[in-house]
Amino acid sequence: MALDTQKIIDDLKEASILELNDLVKAIEEEFDVKAAAPVAAAGAAGGDAAAEKDSFDVELTEAGQEKVKVIKEVRGITGLGLKDSKDLVDGAPKVIKEGVAKADADEMKTKLEAVGATVTLK
């Protein structure tokens, strides 16, 4: 079976950061290897995108003690309903917003941390 290299490259270009992350983890597990330079791999696939990151994923790492306040903030940020927001907070760590500009990501992080949540920008 021959590999269609161009198709693989095209698929990688269209994949989201989360999909690429899942792919790397699957390859690490399948072949018992460790990705030594994920930044270099992203740079090869995305050209100059790795030089300066212009979009971030906002991940709720931990809800903290004030869970109700965190749910309200997540609801305001995402526009989700109450139940969906609660499920997202209960399932932490979870990405609550993808592809956000640096300033917006920092603002979301500040709001969530103000109510006791732990947030990571990726």
Side-chain angles (χ1 to χ4, degrees), residues 42-58:
D48 293 330
E52 185 172 329
K53 192 168 183 173
D54 60 353
S55 66
F56 295 84
D57 294 340
V58 180

Side-chain angles (χ1 to χ4, degrees), residues 3-110:
L3 289 176
D4 185 353
T5 306
Q6 189 58 45
K7 181 180 179 337
I8 293 171
I9 291 171
D10 291 341
D11 288 345
L12 290 174
K13 285 181 181 178
E14 294 176 12
S16 71
I17 298 292
L18 292 175
E19 291 170 328
L20 292 173
N21 187 38
D22 290 344
L23 174 64
V24 169
K25 287 179 183 177
I27 290 171
E28 287 176 342
E29 289 176 16
E30 179 69 26
F31 298 105
D32 195 28
V33 296
K34 190 73 178 157
V39 174
D48 293 330
E52 185 172 329
K53 192 168 183 173
D54 60 353
S55 66
F56 295 84
D57 294 340
V58 180
E59 179 185 69
L60 176 67
T61 308
E62 188 178 317
Q65 298 296 318
E66 299 289 333
K67 194 176 190 179
V68 173
K69 291 180 181 178
V70 174
I71 292 170
K72 287 180 180 179
E73 282 299 329
V74 167
R75 189 172 179 206
I77 290 170
T78 62
L80 294 173
L82 182 60
K83 180 173 179 358
D84 292 332
S85 296
K86 181 184 180 303
D87 291 344
L88 196 149
V89 171
D90 287 341
K94 288 269 187 169
V95 174
I96 59 172
K97 206 77 159 163
E98 293 181 344
V100 181
K102 173 91 171 123
D104 293 337
D106 286 337
E107 181 182 341
M108 289 176 202
K109 181 178 180 181
T110 302

